[in-house]
Amino acid sequence: MRYDGRAEGSRVAHELLVVGAGTTALHQLTPVLRQAGCHVHRLEQAAAAVELLQGTRFDIVIAHHPLSGVGLDEFVAAVRSEGSPCRDSGLLLVVAGAAVEEVGPLLRHGVNRIVAAEAACDKVLDAIADLLGRAPRRSLRAVVQLELWLAQGVRRQLTVTENLSATGMLVRGATEFPVGSHLHFELLVPGVAPPILGEVEVARHTDHLRERVEGFGGRIVSFVGDGQTRLRSLFAER
C-alpha cells in the first residue's frame, strides 16, 4: 500500500487519487499530470482507499477495476455516500476490455467516465481533462419552480436543488418529467433577488440507491437576461 501525502505548504491545482495497480497508460501519464499542476496519489488496496475517501477530498478518483478486497458497487457507494468529501468529485473507471460492458450500467450512476485499460494515453488523458474541466458544483439548496408547457396546459412543480453549477443542477423529486424534457425554471436563491430564470433539460434520472437522492440531473440550456452572470457571481462570492 502506498499513499503519497501532500507536501506541506505546497499549492496544487488538482488532487487525483489512483486506486489499484494502475495501467501502463496511467503510469506514463503521471509525470505529465504532475507537470500540469496535478498532485497524484496512489493506493493499491481499495479498502484503504475507501477509508481515506471518507475524510479526504480529491478532484478525481481513478479506480482500476477489478479492485482488490472491495466490490465495485461498494466502492462507488462509498465515494458517493452522504457526507463523503468526494460525493461530487469525478470518478473514472479504468477496466479491462472484456469488463467494459459489465460495468457499463454504472456510467452516470455514480461513475462519470469509463475507459478501457488497453486504451492509449491520449484517451485516458482526454477523460481526465474532461472531468477536470467540468463546471464546479456546490451543495446549494435553493427553491426551484419548474414548468413544462404542454398542449393541455402547464405542468408546474415546486422543489429544491441538491447541488447547482453554472451549467446544471441536481433536483430533488420531479421524476415525472421524462429525460429530454425542456423545462422553464425559476430559481429562488436565498439573498438573491430577483429570481434567476432560464430553461433546463432533464439529462438523467438519479439512482436513489447509489446517490441517496431521488430526482433528476439537468443541463441548463439557456438563461433569461443576466441570469448566468448572476449565478456565476454567486459561486465566486461563496
Side-chain angles (χ1 to χ4, degrees), residues 14-224:
H14 300 288
E15 301 285 344
L16 278 66
L17 176 65
V18 179
V19 182
T23 64
T24 300
L26 283 174
H27 288 299
Q28 291 175 346
L29 283 174
T30 297
V32 177
L33 293 169
R34 284 176 174 154
Q35 288 176 4
C38 297
H39 198 168
V40 181
H41 310 264
R42 194 179 301 275
L43 279 173
E44 292 188 6
Q45 298 297 320
V50 167
E51 183 178 350
L52 176 66
L53 289 167
Q54 299 314 299
T56 306
R57 173 173 172 77
F58 295 91
D59 297 290
I60 297 181
V61 178
I62 304 171
H64 184 195
H65 179 67
L67 296 168
S68 174
V70 175
L72 183 56
D73 287 346
E74 180 184 350
F75 182 81
V76 174
V79 175
R80 300 306 188 202
S81 65
E82 190 85 30
S84 167
C86 297
R87 187 175 184 183
D88 297 323
S89 302
L91 179 54
L92 166 64
L93 292 185
V94 179
V95 301
V100 170
E101 291 188 8
E102 172 192 340
V103 302
L106 291 173
L107 188 62
R108 297 184 181 176
H109 293 280
V111 173
N112 301 104
R113 298 289 185 277
I114 297 174
V115 177
E118 301 80 11
C121 287
D122 60 337
K123 297 293 185 183
V124 181
L125 188 58
D126 283 347
I128 294 173
D130 188 28
L131 290 175
L132 289 177
R134 293 188 311 162
R137 292 183 179 271
R138 301 289 184 265
S139 296
L140 179 64
R141 289 291 177 87
V143 176
V144 58
Q145 177 168 284
L146 304 167
E147 292 184 351
L148 178 62
W149 291 79
L150 302 167
Q152 305 94 316
V154 182
R155 288 174 57 186
R156 291 187 175 90
Q157 174 75 46
L158 191 67
T159 182
V160 296
T161 62
E162 180 70 15
N163 63 45
L164 186 65
S165 78
T167 59
M169 61 180 73
L170 181 62
V171 176
R172 282 189 174 273
T175 53
E176 66 270 24
F177 296 116
V179 172
S181 300
H182 281 235
L183 313 174
H184 297 281
F185 71 83
E186 181 175 333
L187 195 63
L188 299 132
V189 182
V192 176
I196 296 171
L197 308 178
E199 183 177 329
V200 62
E201 178 185 7
V202 180
R204 66 181 181 88
H205 289 144
T206 62
D207 185 315
H208 182 259
L209 292 178
R210 291 193 179 94
E211 300 178 78
R212 303 295 191 272
V213 176
E214 187 171 356
F216 73 81
R219 180 179 67 88
I220 298 178
V221 177
S222 63
F223 289 89
V224 174

